[in-house]
Amino acid sequence: MNGIEVNPWRSFNEEYKHNGSHLLALTAFKNKTLLSHWLRPDGQIDQGLLQIDSDEFPSLTPVLHEVAWDEREIYDLFGYYPQGHLDLRPLVRTPRWPREFVPLASDSPEISWNAEGPDNPSIRVQGDGITMMGVGPVHAGIIESGRFLFSLMGENVLHVDLHLFQTHRGVESLLEHTSLPHAAIVLSRVCGADSVSHQTNWAMAVEQIAGFAMDESLAWRRIMLLESERVLSHLNDLAQIPAGVGFQVAHQHGLALKEIWQQGMKEVFGHRLLFDTVRPGYAKQGDFPTVLALINTIQRSWTRWRQMVENHHGFQDRMQRVGTVAADDVVRLGGVGVVARASGVRFDARSLMPLYRGLSMTIPTYSSGDVSARFRMRLEEVEQSWKIIRQAATHLAAMISSREPLWTIPPDLSGDAVTFSESPHGLNCHVVRLEAGHIRRYHIRSGAFRNWPLLARAVTGNGIADFPLINKSFELCYSCNDR
């Protein structure tokens, strides 16, 4: 990773964007420093540094639209003012926060909440015949909270304003000063959908700083866990999309497939959500025959279910040309994962991860960018993940079986690391600073955080009745978005 002190800030970061690099994270620190990390097409990571004067810095948003939320979050949590930002409404903070409360700017803030309502200002379309409709923050089903404020003309959506961050837990603040052995339980539970991805990023960060060399067996075990999580997440999302149009037979059978896989994860790895399966120097090993038997069992039901949904013309027609996201918008807003690949943007972080470099895999893409493309992307990725898991199991079974010695994290470990992985929701990055065996800064930029603004873009111009279908085709995580 190469470090460059940047002047001017905007032109440096704009050049990386134009050269085809992917922004990993824009991270603020207490010492009035900003770091930008860029993943180059060759897999190397470059770093830009900006020292902030007088709590202000030049906003990147006018030239890099994808950092609009990052800079709003930095202003809310650190108080650093992005001069020239185009929409600096609160993102995380609410009117209940005292004006002087900037939670990541000091080590132990003491506050007294304001006795005010929690709702932030919203952007609304003005004019005759415009109606406003709010959805959430409480939703049907067992999901986390998020509020959507629609500006409507009749049934047509002119604009949707996202008010997320309803259950902000302060994970990054919680991790500061945490000793390394105690951090794993928190990072395993950042969210239930991308848990292995977050665990893997944390493990790689510690290993990178310590100079730990991962052997082939550990790499294959982590690949098996990452792909098992991808299957679990995609099966859930594939079941939810038919629910968005009332196709209940496909919905219920899809949930049954997910439950088969989730019960299998409990049997093979000890946890339905794969918590506590990866840590520095370690990845849990499943029983290979059980894993392969699980894939064989579920594939029989999967084949029938896939034929049912693909041959239902009404369902297929309902998904086409709905919630379309253009490739230009994906690039402009930094979209990642299934959402990006369904719009023709051919990027999968696995292709640049050292973990996956010995693996034979293809990166499927579609060009229509609609609900149908996102549905088909997940169909293809589930089957590809099963192939990868089989490869991993074959390699591991051929290796000499022996009890692996536990690696102990050096007690006074210090240093910086930037790690990334391809979670079920896309590019997931962790920026980590350690000092004397404790965490000093931990920043998480999840795939969901990048894709929420694209969801708002996808909904605009559709009918309000299309929102459940479009939303489920993104099926973004509230939890690791807010942290």
Side-chain angles (χ1 to χ4, degrees), residues 12-209:
F12 170 84
N13 289 288
E14 190 176 15
E15 181 179 354
Y16 270 87
K17 178 71 173 181
H18 288 165
N19 288 341
S21 297
H22 294 268
L23 181 65
L24 289 171
L26 182 64
T27 309
F29 293 81
K30 284 188 173 69
N31 61 351
K32 294 189 177 182
T33 299
L34 285 185
L35 295 181
S36 63
H37 290 102
W38 290 90
L39 178 61
R40 299 189 333 217
D42 63 2
Q44 298 300 307
I45 298 174
D46 283 352
Q47 170 185 289
L49 180 151
L50 178 70
Q51 200 67 45
I52 299 171
D53 296 324
S54 304
D55 291 335
E56 292 187 0
F57 66 94
S59 171
L60 295 175
T61 302
V63 294
L64 289 176
H65 300 290
E66 67 190 274
V67 303
W69 275 26
D70 299 77
E71 292 185 339
R72 288 170 66 186
E73 186 181 61
I74 287 169
Y75 185 47
D76 286 349
L77 300 182
F78 283 87
Y80 304 155
Y81 180 77
Q83 196 171 42
H85 195 287
L86 305 177
D87 175 20
L88 204 54
R89 292 175 299 140
L91 185 74
V92 181
R93 71 184 302 122
T94 78
R96 290 177 175 169
W97 294 23
R99 182 182 297 274
E100 67 279 6
F101 178 51
V102 279
L104 292 184
S106 60
D107 287 341
S108 55
E110 296 182 4
I111 61 166
S112 177
W113 300 112
N114 294 328
E116 297 186 29
D119 292 338
N120 280 318
S122 60
I123 292 178
R124 305 175 180 220
V125 177
Q126 304 293 326
D128 293 339
I130 303 296
T131 58
M132 306 303 300
M133 186 182 82
V135 175
V138 178
H139 300 273
I142 307 173
I143 63 172
E144 296 198 38
S145 51
R147 186 164 183 258
F148 306 88
L149 189 64
F150 296 89
S151 297
L152 303 173
M153 173 68 78
E155 294 186 357
N156 296 320
V157 178
L158 304 181
H159 177 74
V160 57
D161 207 32
L162 305 179
H163 289 209
L164 306 175
F165 307 91
Q166 300 280 326
T167 53
H168 184 65
R169 296 163 291 157
V171 169
E172 294 183 4
S173 178
L174 175 66
L175 286 168
E176 288 186 2
H177 309 296
T178 299
S179 65
L180 305 192
H182 293 97
I185 192 168
V186 176
L187 288 159
S188 185
R189 290 158 177 80
V190 171
C191 81
D194 297 343
S195 176
V196 177
S197 177
H198 290 301
Q199 293 175 66
T200 301
N201 279 3
W202 160 240
M204 291 191 300
V206 174
E207 292 162 2
Q208 187 181 120
I209 295 170

